[in-house]
Amino acid sequence: MHKNPGLPISHPVSVARLPQRGMPVKLVASESERAALAHDHDLVKVKSFVADLVVAKWRGDGVKVTGTVTADIVQTCSITLEPLDARVENEVDAVFVPEHSKLARVQADANGEIVLDANGPDAPETFSGDHLDVGLVAEEFFELGIDPYPRKEGAELPPVAEADKEPAKVSPFAKLAAFKQKQ
């Protein structure tokens, strides 16, 4: 079981030897891992990163990862460009199946169309080999919890000056209407 080089948070888990009730995994990022997370996700700083996960068997050879990812981060305000403290709290709920599993295939209906339900469960993701990197899973859910446009409280965009506004485009039909009025 080797960590994946190049990944800030790497924690491979053997899926072949999972206990029946699941295996708890707690990941607490070191200072160097937090610095790598900040760099990889364009953050000023990652003050803390904790993932409390449970890795359990799912439908035979599948794996289900549940839990939470919490982190205290410093972002750049999208308005003032000043540092902004923020907290990431994201629930983890992901299912993985071996890459050759029939559960990984998207099922088509009788007409050959694939129908996806936006409110339905996500399709399982795939993994290869006998290990799943739950550190990578935790990092993906960490990224999903980051506000892409952080804004300090009270920060507002300045009003657009009249000179900065684009001139209104004249409709080609307006010229036709003016031509008709002249006749």
Side-chain angles (χ1 to χ4, degrees):
M1 196 163 49
H2 300 285
K3 289 189 172 202
N4 292 322
L7 294 178
I9 305 293
S10 179
H11 189 84
V13 171
S14 172
V15 297
R17 293 182 261 159
L18 289 175
Q20 190 63 31
R21 293 187 179 257
M23 180 176 73
V25 175
K26 184 167 187 164
L27 305 173
V28 179
S30 68
E31 187 174 336
S32 63
E33 291 168 331
R34 292 191 315 268
L37 280 170
H39 177 267
D40 289 357
H41 298 280
D42 295 323
L43 301 169
V44 175
K45 185 175 186 176
V46 175
K47 294 179 180 180
S48 68
F49 176 96
V50 177
D52 279 315
L53 307 171
V54 175
V55 183
K57 291 182 179 186
W58 183 81
R59 291 193 184 179
D61 55 355
V63 178
K64 184 169 184 154
V65 181
T66 57
T68 58
V69 173
T70 56
D72 291 313
I73 61 174
V74 180
Q75 296 179 271
T76 302
C77 175
S78 60
I79 304 294
T80 65
L81 303 180
E82 296 174 4
L84 170 66
D85 288 333
R87 182 155 180 92
V88 173
E89 292 182 13
N90 211 359
E91 294 292 319
V92 176
D93 190 0
V95 175
F96 299 87
V97 293
E99 61 188 348
H100 300 295
S101 171
K102 68 179 182 177
L103 294 172
R105 293 185 212 121
V106 179
Q107 301 296 323
D109 65 8
N111 298 325
E113 295 180 4
I114 297 173
V115 180
L116 299 176
D117 181 5
N119 296 322
D122 290 338
E125 294 188 43
T126 59
F127 67 92
S128 60
D130 61 351
H131 286 81
L132 177 68
D133 194 335
V134 295
L136 179 59
V137 175
E139 185 179 349
E140 287 175 3
F141 280 86
F142 165 72
E143 183 169 3
L144 289 171
I146 296 172
D147 182 354
Y149 302 104
R151 183 184 285 196
K152 275 193 162 190
E153 193 171 322
E156 303 253 344
L157 287 171
V160 178
E162 287 297 320
D164 293 342
K165 290 184 180 177
E166 288 185 29
K169 294 186 178 179
V170 178
S171 167
F173 298 108
K175 290 182 181 180
L176 182 60
F179 178 73
K180 282 186 176 182
Q181 287 177 356
K182 286 182 181 179
Q183 292 182 359

